[in-house]
Amino acid sequence: MTLVFPDENNLVDVSNLRQVPDHQEVFAHKTTNLSLIVEILDGVDKKECQDALVYHFADVSDINEAKVQVTDKRTVNVDDIEHVADAAILSASQAAAKFNEKQAENATVLMALLRVPSKTADVLITLNNPPSDTTLEKFEATIKTFKIADMSIFAD
């Protein structure tokens, strides 16, 4: 998979620092709290892509014990992304404790879901703590650079 990300030269592959699950790629910014996570998940039984995205977002929020509020969501035209049938993005604010700390920190989250029906898979892309000038439109433009280079990364 590939994704063109602004300021990608300042991202560090977290798997070089700690263990990352096989279904994830995690990148952290060298000097800020920004992180980018790409996950391959089992597709969920939701007809509408936005509903599936909200489902995945709620699941991640529950795991992180975060208090969240979705501020915007929309579908994304992915006609130019091979193997992807539908996509949706959302923006949200969340309060969650990091690294087993007790104090919750406020963060902005941008999340995208790209559905790969031929593999019954959902690709979830999460951007935590984006720069303040990162709009949902800019995030959508980044998502539209997504490509699946090799379908063998998906389980059969």
Side-chain angles (χ1 to χ4, degrees), residues 66-120:
K67 294 179 182 170
V68 298
Q69 180 176 355
V70 175
T71 54
D72 194 4
K73 63 183 176 184
R74 62 184 75 149
T75 58
V76 175
N77 180 328
V78 289
D79 290 343
D80 294 334
I81 304 177
E82 190 175 8
H83 308 294
V84 175
D86 296 300
I89 56 176
L90 65 73
S91 61
S93 59
Q94 75 174 8
K98 290 174 62 170
F99 311 115
N100 296 323
E101 294 176 0
K102 293 185 186 211
Q103 180 67 34
E105 293 183 24
N106 292 321
T108 299
V109 177
L110 300 176
M111 186 176 280
L113 175 68
L114 298 103
R115 305 198 91 184
V116 185
S118 65
K119 295 296 184 177
T120 318

Side-chain angles (χ1 to χ4, degrees), residues 14-107:
V14 172
S15 67
N16 293 327
L17 307 172
R18 66 171 172 82
Q19 189 170 1
V20 172
D22 289 342
H23 72 284
Q24 289 183 346
E25 295 293 332
V26 180
F27 301 92
H29 196 275
K30 292 177 183 176
T31 60
T32 70
N33 284 332
L34 180 143
S35 64
L36 176 68
I37 304 166
V38 180
E39 303 178 75
I40 299 174
L41 304 170
D42 291 332
V44 295
D45 189 20
K46 302 283 183 190
K47 183 177 179 178
E48 297 297 325
C49 191
Q50 284 189 31
D51 294 339
L53 175 57
V54 169
Y55 174 88
H56 285 300
F57 180 67
D59 189 45
V60 170
S61 299
D62 287 346
I63 291 168
N64 294 332
E65 298 178 358
K67 294 179 182 170
V68 298
Q69 180 176 355
V70 175
T71 54
D72 194 4
K73 63 183 176 184
R74 62 184 75 149
T75 58
V76 175
N77 180 328
V78 289
D79 290 343
D80 294 334
I81 304 177
E82 190 175 8
H83 308 294
V84 175
D86 296 300
I89 56 176
L90 65 73
S91 61
S93 59
Q94 75 174 8
K98 290 174 62 170
F99 311 115
N100 296 323
E101 294 176 0
K102 293 185 186 211
Q103 180 67 34
E105 293 183 24
N106 292 321

